[in-house]
Amino acid sequence: MPTFALIDGNSFYASCERVFRPDLAKTPIVVLSNNDGCVITRTREAKALGIRMGAPYFEVANLERKGLLTVFSSNYELYADMSRRMMDTIASLVPRFEVYSIDECFADLTGLTDDPTCLGQRIRARVEQWVGLPTCVGIGPSKTLAKFSNHLAKRHGKLSGVLDWGSLSPERQTKALASEPAAEVWGIGRRLAEQLAGMGIDSALDLARADPALIRRRFGVVVERVVRELNGTSCLTLEDVAPPRQQLVRSRSFGQLIHERDALAAALAHHTAQAAADLRAQGSIAGLIGVQLHTHRFRAQDAQYHACDWQALPVASCDTLALTRAALALLDKLYRKGFSYKKVGVLLGELLTGAARQADWLAPETDPARQALLGALDTVNHRYGRGTLRLGAEAIGHGWQMRREHASPCYTTRFDQLPTVS
DNA sequence: TCTGGGGTCCTAGGACCC
DNA sequence: TCTGGGGTCCTAGGACCC
């Protein structure tokens, strides 16, 4: 029987901030979405203040003004680097693992002779000591039960952050499933939870006891797998090699509404440059490029315009210049004067990676001089920070930058922002 | 006044083919 | 009156995840 562990960081983004701000160890913290829009991470203390997940910033600004809450703009450069350190540390203790998201990973503990709970505690202790981040570990015979155990480990302080499903008696397992709503189960979102409730399936236990054949007919194979996994039959495997991405999207809302084509073009050129760099970092080329343009969807009084168009690239490419040219041409097709724009984005599709890319014998070799130029671009931007070297197109318009009024330094990735010892 | 961004998978239905 | 049965590919939409 397989054994999976799910390890995830507690209030991950906020915990990353705390590593460099020990003065905030016990205080309520929230981290905001891009553009300081809404709350996406809350510490336990912030939850205790009654702050909702997804609450718009203005709802919590009051608490901040009174000094009851510390607010951070999201700093993905910092979180991504802390994530890498956390994953490297976990890799030093488990034979195989899968990075599932920025703050969590699955590990395969099948066949290990160690007691799973002890191993879970070792993982927690090492991540805490080496990286400074608090984690919880859930262990079970399926990924879904590992997730569920992790959820229980978070909820019940008595468990000291680790729960092995296999260590519970059948009676305790039944009680645990009965104590949580079906919506807490991985793979059951709001819509499915509503439909399940209509069938009298309210708790995780109800779901575990549902007839898989009936569930399959009503909801398809995905939910059927959830039911089987809840009963300890593993249907999902550990994917330790990440499949290459199939598409890449890069878009941001603006800090303020934009009317002029040039400002849109500057923002779009910026997103395209970032997307092209991401593409090169994973060794892919794109065959298709798209641009999307949006007005502010929450401003009902404004005329709305939402447009998107695609263009096949003559040659699949990861070249910043070629992609930017194509993106700007699409923008000029889509742009209509007179609207107040809130967001622009670039989409790259038909990505080819690795072997698939080699097999594309129709694609001519990229010009070596151009390759050297792109290599230099990536090297400089990696060493001195993204955006150090960029195209002129990014600089022709202003006013589109994100709002990030509570940004912390990139303590670990920029020389000029290293933490100093006082 | 203020409400993010980036992914994946599955299914149903239509076009088309033999 | 009768008017098959599969396949594949593509797209749109819906659901989920973090």
Side-chain angles (χ1 to χ4, degrees):
Chain A
M1 189 151 79
T3 306
F4 295 97
L6 178 83
I7 303 115
D8 80 340
N10 305 344
S11 311
F12 185 73
Y13 298 164
S15 297
C16 289
E17 301 289 354
R18 266 183 180 158
V19 169
F20 302 93
R21 291 290 306 275
D23 55 306
L24 301 177
K26 305 259 185 248
T27 61
I29 301 175
V30 298
V31 179
L32 302 176
S33 64
N34 280 323
N35 230 13
D36 291 348
C38 54
V39 172
I40 56 169
T41 306
R42 306 160 295 162
T43 60
R44 188 150 34 94
E45 300 80 7
K47 289 174 195 170
L49 287 176
I51 297 170
R52 292 180 301 120
M53 188 67 172
Y57 170 52
F58 68 87
E59 282 184 20
V60 303
N62 227 348
L63 292 166
E64 185 195 15
R65 263 195 303 278
K66 289 186 197 152
L68 300 172
L69 176 69
T70 306
V71 176
F72 287 99
S73 302
S74 42
N75 182 348
Y76 287 102
E77 192 167 326
L78 173 66
Y79 310 150
D81 190 61
M82 294 299 283
S83 170
R84 186 185 55 73
R85 291 163 194 248
M86 179 174 96
M87 300 303 175
D88 287 352
T89 303
I90 293 166
S92 72
L93 282 167
V94 300
R96 290 176 62 219
F97 83 132
E98 168 195 347
V99 175
Y100 177 68
S101 73
I102 193 165
D103 74 328
E104 60 190 302
C105 65
F106 286 102
D108 184 359
L109 308 185
T110 309
L112 295 189
T113 49
D114 313 51
D115 173 65
T117 306
C118 292
L119 178 56
Q121 289 297 354
R122 273 215 301 288
I123 293 171
R124 287 195 78 209
R126 188 172 287 188
V127 174
E128 176 88 50
Q129 190 185 353
W130 289 12
V131 194
L133 293 172
T135 54
C136 282
V137 182
I139 299 158
S142 65
K143 281 182 160 181
T144 303
L145 282 173
K147 266 274 203 190
F148 191 72
S149 300
N150 179 286
H151 171 71
L152 295 174
K154 277 222 167 62
R155 172 146 311 185
H156 303 288
K158 257 194 340 209
L159 296 168
S160 308
V162 179
L163 176 62
D164 173 20
W165 187 252
S167 73
L168 299 178
S169 67
E171 296 74 35
R172 298 286 304 276
Q173 291 180 350
T174 303
K175 270 181 84 174
L177 286 167
S179 73
E180 294 290 334
E184 275 309 331
V185 175
W186 187 40
I188 306 301
R190 223 190 58 224
R191 297 300 176 106
L192 280 170
E194 278 169 20
Q195 294 179 52
L196 289 167
M199 301 167 66
I201 296 173
D202 296 306
S203 69
L205 183 64
D206 296 337
L207 185 59
R209 289 185 170 167
D211 173 18
L214 173 71
I215 293 292
R216 182 185 191 124
R217 274 199 306 281
R218 275 288 307 264
F219 304 106
V221 292
V222 178
V223 186
E224 183 200 6
R225 274 202 290 259
V226 172
V227 172
R228 294 193 186 280
E229 287 237 323
L230 272 182
N231 285 285
T233 304
S234 173
C235 306
L236 304 168
T237 54
L238 193 84
E239 321 234 341
D240 46 357
V241 270
R245 237 187 254 321
Q246 296 175 38
Q247 59 168 7
L248 206 156
V249 177
R250 183 99 193 176
S251 70
R252 291 283 183 279
S253 297
F254 309 127
Q256 57 194 80
L257 293 174
I258 296 290
H259 302 90
E260 298 310 315
R261 181 260 172 205
D262 281 357
L264 292 173
L268 181 60
H270 176 74
H271 299 332
T272 306
Q274 301 293 323
D278 289 347
L279 207 55
R280 292 193 292 275
Q282 64 163 35
S284 304
I285 49 177
L288 196 61
I289 186 167
V291 167
Q292 50 181 35
L293 194 54
H294 299 282
T295 50
H296 198 320
R297 62 195 164 115
F298 292 119
R299 286 174 63 106
Q301 71 274 29
D302 282 9
Q304 295 289 314
Y305 179 59
H306 304 279
C308 178
D309 200 5
W310 293 89
Q311 172 74 52
L313 291 160
V315 180
S317 172
C318 59
D319 180 341
T320 301
L321 282 77
L323 293 172
T324 304
R325 211 175 358 252
L328 293 179
L330 281 167
L331 175 68
D332 286 332
K333 251 177 91 181
L334 294 175
Y335 176 70
R336 302 279 179 278
K337 214 170 160 48
F339 289 105
S340 305
Y341 293 99
K342 179 65 175 170
K343 182 157 116 175
V344 69
V346 65
L347 310 92
L348 301 177
E350 288 180 1
L351 302 194
L352 289 176
T353 308
R357 181 176 171 177
Q358 303 302 321
D360 187 16
W361 54 272
L362 281 172
E365 287 300 309
T366 314
D367 170 16
R370 180 61 67 86
Q371 263 179 3
L373 175 66
L374 295 170
L377 188 68
D378 289 338
T379 306
V380 168
N381 284 337
H382 182 254
R383 184 169 177 87
Y384 298 103
R386 281 194 154 189
T388 303
L389 211 53
R390 56 199 176 124
L391 295 189
E394 291 183 49
I396 55 175
H398 305 279
W400 55 272
Q401 277 79 4
M402 273 199 296
R403 204 164 37 237
R404 285 185 79 213
E405 286 169 7
H406 306 81
S408 54
C410 296
Y411 300 103
T412 62
T413 52
R414 298 202 179 225
F415 286 121
D416 58 345
Q417 297 177 26
L418 290 174
T420 49
V421 181
S422 50

